[in-house]
Amino acid sequence: MRRLLIVGNWKMHKTASEATQFVESLSKLISSAVSADIVLAPPFTALPAVRTALAGDQRFALAAQDVFWEEQGAFTGEISALMLKDLGCQYVIIGHSERRRLFGDTDDGIRKKIAVALRHGIKPILCVGESLDDREGGRTETVIREQLLKGLAGLRSEEVEAVTVAYEPVWAIGTGRAATPDQAVTTHRAIRELIRQEWNLDIMSAFHILYGGSVTPQNVGAFLESDEIDGALVGGACLDPQSFATILRVAQTLAQ
Ligand code: PGA
């Protein structure tokens, strides 16, 4: 049976008390035996509240939305992998296009963040994706190849195996204009082939590639139907418990 991975990226939404209410509503809306892996990525400030509200509920795992590459020190405003581990984070989103575009995250910084997460046993979710300009100029695969090769540089195969890649076309994020399933499948194939070539990973079924960018309860099924798409990274549609629960139900159906 396929094990789909659905990640809810809350971005800068919800206070700690709103987060608690959200988790209480969501957990009532989904079945007790989910066959998809569900990851919640609240803002740093809501991580402890979400962890408490989950109370060890094994259906969910916790993710942070970013991490800094140093372990500790004079880095005002940053959060370390040790701190995330201590809060029970099993995953961390790294290299989201909003971080790349608005906060200057570079491929080299992303590489260091992935390395520190792996050192502390936190699974990185590496986001890659092309701009509209790149897509229209026929550069999608070149751009993604570069983001992957630089972000994963120096890692051994068994380390790469612990990484999840999220393909998120920049033009599809928060725009209501999702990629077509065909566009996603083509890019996922290229990503899988690159990982196979560079890291000689033949156990490809264990390597997760998610699609992200305007995923909704209405369109998620069309993505998850493909064997090439192992899950979704959901932004806007994960903020409402009903909408996120519907996405999870679709994933549940398709995993069977
Ligand atoms: P969106 O965001 O679903 O709101 O497009 C996805 C993401 O940025 O991860």
Side-chain angles (χ1 to χ4, degrees):
M1 192 170 81
R2 287 169 83 205
R3 191 93 195 152
L4 294 167
L5 176 63
I6 309 292
V7 184
N9 174 13
W10 298 13
K11 309 193 180 185
M12 198 175 74
H13 292 283
K14 299 192 194 296
T15 62
S17 44
E18 287 165 347
T20 302
Q21 282 168 17
F22 173 90
V23 171
E24 283 166 2
S25 313
L26 179 69
S27 55
K28 285 187 208 133
L29 289 169
I30 58 175
S31 80
S32 50
V34 274
S35 48
D37 290 319
I38 311 169
V39 178
L40 303 179
F44 292 130
T45 47
L47 283 168
V50 171
R51 186 191 199 186
T52 305
L54 290 175
D57 187 333
Q58 295 296 316
R59 294 174 297 173
F60 300 93
L62 209 51
Q65 296 175 18
D66 194 18
V67 64
F68 189 54
W69 58 75
E70 293 289 348
E71 316 245 320
Q72 60 180 352
F75 304 105
T76 302
E78 294 297 328
I79 303 283
S80 76
L82 277 168
M83 295 167 185
L84 297 179
K85 189 83 190 161
D86 186 56
L87 286 175
C89 288
Q90 295 172 39
Y91 293 85
V92 59
I93 298 172
I94 295 176
H96 190 280
S97 73
E98 284 149 19
R99 300 275 346 150
R100 293 179 191 257
R101 187 166 48 86
L102 300 171
F103 303 102
D105 279 21
T106 62
D107 285 320
D108 193 51
I110 288 164
R111 178 186 62 76
K112 293 193 271 186
K113 290 178 177 188
I114 290 174
V116 80
L118 288 169
R119 267 207 306 284
H120 290 279
I122 304 175
K123 295 180 203 152
I125 300 171
L126 166 62
C127 300
V128 297
E130 80 286 4
S131 66
L132 190 58
D133 209 37
D134 291 330
R135 173 157 286 271
E136 287 174 347
R139 292 182 297 276
T140 300
E141 285 188 21
T142 314
V143 166
I144 285 166
R145 186 183 166 82
E146 186 168 316
Q147 290 171 341
L148 286 169
L149 290 178
K150 289 187 174 164
L152 302 175
L155 296 183
R156 299 187 308 271
S157 301
E158 56 274 28
E159 292 171 315
V160 171
E161 231 188 299
V163 176
T164 295
V165 169
Y167 168 52
E168 298 206 301
V170 178
W171 46 271
I173 296 177
T175 57
R177 182 184 164 198
T180 64
D182 275 358
Q183 286 172 323
V185 165
T186 304
T187 311
H188 281 221
R189 281 208 182 106
I191 294 172
R192 225 178 271 285
E193 184 53 23
L194 175 74
I195 301 283
R196 198 186 60 74
Q197 278 173 6
E198 295 291 323
W199 284 276
N200 203 17
L201 282 179
D202 47 356
I203 23 163
M204 289 314 289
S205 54
F207 189 83
H208 274 94
I209 308 177
L210 316 180
Y211 169 75
S214 295
V215 170
T216 63
Q218 292 74 35
N219 68 16
V220 68
F223 290 107
L224 300 183
E225 260 167 21
S226 164
D227 284 349
E228 286 290 339
I229 302 181
D230 307 308
L233 179 50
V234 187
C238 83
L239 295 173
D240 170 63
Q242 289 283 358
S243 141
F244 196 49
T246 310
I247 289 175
L248 296 172
R249 275 196 289 274
V250 174
Q252 170 108 351
T253 320
L254 289 169
Q256 283 159 3

